[in-house]
């Protein structure tokens, strides 16, 4: 059975078993089964992901910025690529955050009663209430000690670690003049090792999905499943808006390109991206289509699409923003405007360091939830449907890469 089929099966079995056992939640044997067997299984998966978050974020961001900064002769292309990437990613996250605030897919759950742990819910609320002022939060983006930020990344210092990684990657490219170096080899090997750990964790994911979903439905009952279905619809709606509105507007305004004709030319690559759920796996097909069908200059398409497979993750950024706010609503965490802005900024930055492989965004979503006081266990609610959503957002990621490549290749129509 394929991996994503196992995940979906685990989701269904965990949900059904949890719902059945919810009626007997007072049974001591079931409580012990959940506490001493299923809960550790879920925690093992979460810890496997958590332990590689810091090296993956640092190496991924440094590599992305190094590659963008070090290509001599393509400085203008790199600047334009970065500009359109930031524009598209910002629009995607704003769309996602707006949809969640408008539709409220995670509301309607009385977590304090379902958890039976009023003290825990009160503690979460206190953590959010103690958030720092906006000015102070902005100042602390620049770290005094990057090593301290790395150590405390899971406790609120991830944004400053990202800033250091961006600055160091740019400085490294300037120092080496774009030439290969031992630093670059170390970063590439570190990033590859992190992907291996993610791959290993994803092999364990079906068991973890069953355990985490069982815990959620065992505690919450059937109400949580309605919110989950609504959440999936909100994510898909956001992705469609990004594709149909934002990408179309960028193509028309900055490239003088007919959007729907462009999308029709790219449909084979979209299907491949949807099937593989991997930007990296789709890259060879994207390069071929860019040169043969879209008639883009090879030196432009190869640069933009290669960098974009890691640094331009519009769909992932949108997904991360929606997921964090959805889980905040599920857990009754009322995020302030400043905290939502923080989620937006971190989602945009996180897109640069997200692995272009299935499940690559999960570690960064966990970090975002931790930043605003949401329990990491909430990830169990979305893991079962993550494969389907991963297929959808990967399609948007690949589409965004092709759109930006086309825009960068249109210097006469595009004065940027």
């Amino acid at each position: 059975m394929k991996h994503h089929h196992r995940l979906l099966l685990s989701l269904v079995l965990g949900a059904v078993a949890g719902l059945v056992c919810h009626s007997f939640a007072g049974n001591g044997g079931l409580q012990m089964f959940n506490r001493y067997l299923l809960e550790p299984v879920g925690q093992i998966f979460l810890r496997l992901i958590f332990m590689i978050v810091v090296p993956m974020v640092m190496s991924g961001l440094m590599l992305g910025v190094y590659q963008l900064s070090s290509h001599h002769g393509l400085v203008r292309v790199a600047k334009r690529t970065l500009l359109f990437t930031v524009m598209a990613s910002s629009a995607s996250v704003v769309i996602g955050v707006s949809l969640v605030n408008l539709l409220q897919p995670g509301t309607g759950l009385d977590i304090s009663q379902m958890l039976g742990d009023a003290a825990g819910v009160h503690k979460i609320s206190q953590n959010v209430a103690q958030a720092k002022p906006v000015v102070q939060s902005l100042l602390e983006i620049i770290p005094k000690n990057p090593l301290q930020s790395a150590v405390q990344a899971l406790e609120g210092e991830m944004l400053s670690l990202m800033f250091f990684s961006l600055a160091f990657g740019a400085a490294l490219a300037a120092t080496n003049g774009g030439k290969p170096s031992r630093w670059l080899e170390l970063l590439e090997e570190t990033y590859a090792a992190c992907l291996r750990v993610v791959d290993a964790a994803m092999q364990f994911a079906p068991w973890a999905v069953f355990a985490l979903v069982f815990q959620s439905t065992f505690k919450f009952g059937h109400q949580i499943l309605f919110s989950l279905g609504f959440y999936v619809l909100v994510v898909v709606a956001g992705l469609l808006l990004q594709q149909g509105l934002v990408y179309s507007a960028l193509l028309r305004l900055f490239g003088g390109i007919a959007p729907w004709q462009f999308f029709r030319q790219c449909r084979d690559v979209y299907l491949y991206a949807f099937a593989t759920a991997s930007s990296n796996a789709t890259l060879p097909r994207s390069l071929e289509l860019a040169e043969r069908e879209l008639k883009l200059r090879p030196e432009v398409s190869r640069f933009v699409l290669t960098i974009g497979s890691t640094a331009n993750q519009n769909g992932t950024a949108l997904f991360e923003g929606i997921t964090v706010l959805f889980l905040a609503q599920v857990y009754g965490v009322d995020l302030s405007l400043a905290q939502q802005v923080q989620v937006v900024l971190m989602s945009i930055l996180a897109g640069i360091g997200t692995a272009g492989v299935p499940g690559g965004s999960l570690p960064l979503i966990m970090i975002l939830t931790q930043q605003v006081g949401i329990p990491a266990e909430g990830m169990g609610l979305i893991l079962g449907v993550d494969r389907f959503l991963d297929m959808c957002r990967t399609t948007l990621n690949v589409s965004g890469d092709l759109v930006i490549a086309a825009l960068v290749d249109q210097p006469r129509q595009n004065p940027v």
Side-chain angles (χ1 to χ4, degrees):
M1 185 183 295
K2 294 182 178 179
H3 184 68
H4 63 277
H5 290 160
R6 293 198 298 269
L7 281 179
L8 290 174
L9 180 61
S10 298
L11 168 67
V12 173
L13 293 178
V16 171
L19 287 174
V20 172
C21 294
H22 178 71
S23 303
F24 308 96
N27 184 281
L30 284 175
Q31 293 284 358
M32 293 182 64
F33 174 74
N34 183 50
R35 181 176 181 182
Y36 294 106
L37 180 60
L38 295 185
E39 187 173 337
V41 169
Q43 287 298 317
I44 288 172
F45 176 77
L46 294 175
R47 287 174 177 268
L48 283 173
I49 298 295
F50 269 132
M51 74 178 185
I52 50 88
V53 163
V54 169
M56 189 182 76
V57 168
M58 291 186 67
S59 60
L61 281 174
M62 288 180 186
L63 280 172
V65 175
Y66 184 95
Q67 291 168 338
L68 282 172
S69 303
S70 62
H71 285 69
H72 294 291
L74 288 176
V75 174
R76 185 169 180 270
V77 171
K79 289 180 179 179
R80 289 155 61 87
T81 301
L82 183 60
L83 173 63
F84 286 120
T85 296
V86 172
M87 289 174 61
S89 294
S90 300
S92 70
V93 179
V94 169
I95 286 174
V97 171
S98 299
L99 284 176
V100 176
N101 281 298
L102 177 65
L103 300 177
Q104 300 284 315
T107 57
L109 297 176
D110 189 352
I111 295 297
S112 61
Q113 292 183 6
M114 293 179 183
L115 286 174
D117 184 9
V121 176
H122 180 65
K123 183 177 180 181
I124 294 173
S125 301
Q126 279 186 329
N127 291 338
V128 176
Q130 293 173 357
K132 298 174 183 177
V134 178
V135 175
Q136 182 66 21
S137 298
L138 291 175
L139 287 175
E140 292 185 359
I141 291 176
I142 304 175
K144 294 180 179 179
N145 184 350
L147 294 179
Q148 182 181 9
S149 297
V151 172
Q152 298 181 348
L154 301 182
E155 283 75 44
E157 296 290 333
M158 180 55 69
L159 197 57
S160 57
L161 180 65
M162 286 183 172
F163 181 90
F164 167 76
S165 301
L166 290 169
F168 191 85
L172 188 63
T175 301
N176 291 332
K179 298 178 182 179
S181 68
R182 286 174 292 179
W183 268 103
L184 186 60
E185 293 178 1
L186 176 62
L187 291 174
E188 290 175 340
E189 291 177 1
T190 301
Y191 193 70
C194 291
L195 294 184
R196 283 294 185 93
V197 175
V198 172
D199 288 341
M202 293 307 294
Q203 296 301 315
F204 183 65
W207 302 97
V209 166
F210 177 88
L212 292 168
V213 172
F214 178 91
Q215 292 177 64
S216 299
T217 52
F218 181 62
K219 293 177 181 178
F220 303 153
H222 68 278
Q223 294 184 52
I224 195 66
L225 300 180
F226 292 108
S227 291
L228 185 61
F230 196 7
Y231 155 77
V232 172
L233 291 177
V234 170
V235 174
V236 173
L239 297 174
L240 291 175
L241 286 173
Q242 177 75 4
Q243 174 78 7
L245 296 182
V246 177
Y247 289 169
S248 295
L250 289 174
L251 287 169
R252 179 69 71 180
L253 295 176
F254 294 102
I257 300 171
W260 299 113
Q261 180 180 352
F262 180 87
F263 296 151
R264 283 197 299 271
Q265 289 178 299
C266 300
R267 61 184 181 273
D268 289 344
V269 169
Y270 294 164
L271 292 173
Y272 194 83
F274 185 82
T276 62
S278 171
S279 299
N280 292 340
T282 310
L283 181 58
R285 297 291 297 273
S286 298
L287 290 169
E288 181 182 18
L289 178 134
E291 295 181 25
R292 294 187 178 182
E293 299 294 332
L294 302 179
K295 307 300 182 184
L296 303 184
R297 288 175 289 166
E299 64 271 20
V300 172
S301 62
R302 291 170 187 173
F303 174 79
V304 176
L305 293 177
T306 301
I307 297 298
S309 65
T310 296
N312 180 40
Q313 304 283 338
N314 296 173
T316 299
L318 182 148
F319 169 74
E320 289 170 351
I322 289 179
T323 299
V324 172
L325 296 191
F326 165 75
L327 292 176
Q329 292 172 1
V330 167
Y331 279 90
V333 179
D334 186 16
L335 300 182
S336 66
L337 178 60
Q339 289 170 314
Q340 292 194 34
V341 170
Q342 181 185 12
V343 170
V344 169
L345 293 176
M346 291 191 68
S347 296
I348 294 171
L349 285 176
I352 299 176
T354 299
V357 296
S361 63
L362 296 181
L364 298 176
I365 294 175
M366 288 186 182
I367 287 300
L368 288 171
T369 60
Q370 293 288 292
Q371 299 296 309
V372 293
I374 302 169
E377 288 76 8
M379 286 294 296
L381 300 178
I382 67 167
L383 280 176
V385 296
D386 179 67
R387 175 67 186 194
F388 170 72
L389 294 179
D390 198 358
M391 296 163 75
C392 294
R393 64 181 180 262
T394 298
T395 305
L396 189 73
N397 291 340
V398 171
S399 179
D401 295 340
L402 291 167
V403 167
I404 292 175
L407 295 178
V408 173
D409 194 56
Q410 298 293 327
R412 287 191 293 268
Q413 292 92 335
N414 180 7
V416 177

